[in-house]
């Protein structure tokens, strides 16, 4: 198929994967962790999926592998919210909020880091009027946590879609070699920040030539360039006619803000929640002292 047909294709297809296969489940979540997709929780015929053992899909190889986690592992659950927050230098954290099982619902917030270790974010509970003890969280506090998780998820989704808004289409290295490079219509490639390749196609329109048609995520720049040269040699392209490849560094203020935006939102909601809890405790303590 031609690049124009590929860019217009919108449809589902069943992918052939290798490695172990996750058990059937529903009401789980999937989060992008670099070039991989992490499956979290859910429920299936055998019960709720354990949160200590997760499944990871390696997108480039389409292979599954099991991930064993440690730390404050969340209780098995389904129907939860999750969001990936980028931390710079290729790092990330996955936030998981809420969900429940057949007996109860949860309002806890857990974080999974790149070492596959879980941490639970604790919170202060407001004190009661008579004894100053901690009571169950009210609907307002639950809504506050839900709003934080939804806001983080929305910003992360916008960050992941920002490349699509610019007009280029993200494809894998395999799709680029098979469907784009073999067409012979690639004009040049710009490798940005050693982790992404922007592909510019030949076009009678100068406006279209000035914008990348495709973007490819790179795990290793050297291996990508060698693979590119090998593919062109296999196609019988003379070395003098190889696609021109240049390198450049870019810093996007918008992307940097999007990276830290979800974290700042969560910190802001957390601070507001702690303040509410502290004020509630002070009021509760004052009420208890007056009742003599």
């Amino acid at each position: 198929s031609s690049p124009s047909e590929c860019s217009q294709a919108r449809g589902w297809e069943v992918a052939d994967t290798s490695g172990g296969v996750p058990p059937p489940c529903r009401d789980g979540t999937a989060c992008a962790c670099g070039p991989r997709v992490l499956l979290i929780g859910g429920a299936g015929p055998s019960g709720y999926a354990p949160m200590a053992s997760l499944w990871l899909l390696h997108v480039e190889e389409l292979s599954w592998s099991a991930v064993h986690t440690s730390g404050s592992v969340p209780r098995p659950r389904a129907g939860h919210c999750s969001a990936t927050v980028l931390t710079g230098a290729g790092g990330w954290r996955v936030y998981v909020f809420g969900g429940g099982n057949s007996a109860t619902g949860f309002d806890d917030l857990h974080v999974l880091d790149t070492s596959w270790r879980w941490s639970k974010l604790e919170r202060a509970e407001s004190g009661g009027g008579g004894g100053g003890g901690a009571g169950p969280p009210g609907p307002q506090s639950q809504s506050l946590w839900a709003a934080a998780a939804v806001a983080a998820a929305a910003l992360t989704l916008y960050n992941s879609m920002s490349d699509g808004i610019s007009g280029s289409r993200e494809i894998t290295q395999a799709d680029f070699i098979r469907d784009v490079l073999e067409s012979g219509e690639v004009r040049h490639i710009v490798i940005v920040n050693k982790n992404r390749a922007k592909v510019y196609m030949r076009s009678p329109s100068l406006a279209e030539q000035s914008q990348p048609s495709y973007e490819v995520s790179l795990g290793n720049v050297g291996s990508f360039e060698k693979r590119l040269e090998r593919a062109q040699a296999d196609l019988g392209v003379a070395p003098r006619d190889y696609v021109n490849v240049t390198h450049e560094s870019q810093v996007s203020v918008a992307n940097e803000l999007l990276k830290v935006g979800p974290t700042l939102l969560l910190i802001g909601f957390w601070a507001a929640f702690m303040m509410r809890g502290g004020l509630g405790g002070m009021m509760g303590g004052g009420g208890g002292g007056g009742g003599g």
Side-chain angles (χ1 to χ4, degrees), residues 87-178:
T87 59
W92 49 262
R93 291 190 184 97
V94 174
Y95 290 80
V96 175
F97 168 77
N101 54 32
S102 57
T104 186
F106 304 134
D107 63 351
D108 50 0
L109 181 63
H110 290 78
V111 183
L112 181 67
D113 59 31
T114 52
S115 63
W116 305 115
R117 182 175 181 83
W118 287 102
S119 300
K120 182 180 180 181
L121 298 184
E122 302 291 347
R123 58 179 179 169
E125 299 287 355
S126 59
Q140 292 183 348
S141 63
Q142 295 182 17
S143 299
L144 186 64
W145 282 95
V150 171
L155 274 176
T156 304
L157 179 61
Y158 178 77
N159 190 23
S160 65
M161 294 176 63
S162 59
D163 291 335
I165 295 175
S166 66
S168 60
R169 175 189 171 198
E170 184 161 358
I171 59 176
T172 64
Q173 293 187 32
D175 289 340
F176 166 71
I177 297 294
R178 183 184 63 248

Side-chain angles (χ1 to χ4, degrees), residues 90 191-197 216-221 248 259:
I191 296 179
V192 181
N193 297 335
K194 298 182 179 181
N195 60 16
R196 182 173 292 277
V216 183
S217 296
L218 307 180
N220 181 281
V221 177
E248 66 179 40
K259 288 179 183 178

Side-chain angles (χ1 to χ4, degrees), residues 11 24 33 40 103 181 189 196 239-240 243 252 254 259 270 282:
C33 300
I40 304 173
L181 183 64
I189 298 173
R196 182 173 292 277
R240 66 176 181 276
V243 174
S252 172
K259 288 179 183 178
W270 180 258
M282 292 172 62

Side-chain angles (χ1 to χ4, degrees), residues 195-214:
N195 60 16
R196 182 173 292 277
K198 294 186 177 182
V199 182
Y200 294 80
M201 307 296 291
R202 294 189 178 92
S203 173
S205 170
L206 293 178
E208 292 182 4
Q209 288 189 20
S210 63
Q211 297 294 328
S213 300
Y214 303 94

